[in-house]
Amino acid sequence: MSPQHHPAPTATAAVLRHRYTHRLPSALGDLAGPCSGTVHLPLHLAWSGLRAYDLDRPRQRMSLYRTVLAEGQHDDLTTYLNGDLLAEQWPVLRTLVSRHVRDVWEETFPQLRTRTAAA
């Protein structure tokens, strides 16, 4: 395929940033998801593999957050994620998500970046 058929890296990055930015809540406090128990994700989020996550198990909780951050729409973010848990997990979680997801969240919610620096 010739180079003109592939979008420029900066164009792709801009599309991804736009996509993730428009999904974000207004505030971390809008993320009102559960803090414990088992969460069952719908097929549009967890279309392959595990769909039920035990939030009391750190690895499963981290996996759920990574999935929802990458695949979720605005309503998914506010339903399945909890703002306090997100902030608590962010120093590690930020290394598990794409650069585009990480940058958009940290630019919108600078307290996440501050929390990472303190960790």
Side-chain angles (χ1 to χ4, degrees), residues 12-34:
T12 301
V15 168
L16 290 171
R17 290 179 61 79
H18 178 77
R19 178 183 304 159
Y20 290 121
T21 299
H22 282 50
R23 298 175 181 181
L24 295 178
S26 300
L28 289 179
D30 293 344
L31 301 175

Side-chain angles (χ1 to χ4, degrees), residues 1 12 14 28 32 41 45 75 80 94 103 107 114 118:
M1 204 174 235
T12 301
L28 289 179
L41 293 181
L45 289 176
D75 289 347
Y80 298 108
R94 71 184 304 275
D103 290 350
E107 288 169 12
T114 302

Side-chain angles (χ1 to χ4, degrees), residues 2 6 8 38 45 55 66 72 80 82 89 95 103 117-118:
S2 65
H6 295 287
T38 300
L45 289 176
L55 295 180
R66 185 178 65 199
Y80 298 108
N82 177 280
Q89 296 182 122
T95 68
D103 290 350

Side-chain angles (χ1 to χ4, degrees), residues 41-114:
L41 293 181
L43 280 173
H44 74 272
L45 289 176
W47 41 267
S48 174
L50 190 62
R51 290 191 52 218
Y53 298 83
D54 182 349
L55 295 180
D56 299 314
R57 299 182 66 183
R59 292 184 86 184
Q60 285 191 26
R61 184 175 59 235
M62 196 72 69
S63 182
L64 175 134
Y65 273 64
R66 185 178 65 199
T67 298
V68 175
L69 287 169
E71 304 295 334
Q73 298 300 313
H74 178 271
D75 289 347
D76 299 316
L77 297 174
T78 59
T79 299
Y80 298 108
L81 302 182
N82 177 280
D84 291 336
L85 282 180
L86 177 73
E88 179 183 308
Q89 296 182 122
W90 191 255
V92 173
L93 187 58
R94 71 184 304 275
T95 68
L96 303 174
V97 297
S98 74
R99 176 177 42 105
H100 305 293
V101 170
R102 180 182 63 242
D103 290 350
V104 164
W105 278 84
E106 289 181 350
E107 288 169 12
T108 305
F109 304 110
Q111 64 268 41
L112 293 175
R113 190 177 304 142
T114 302

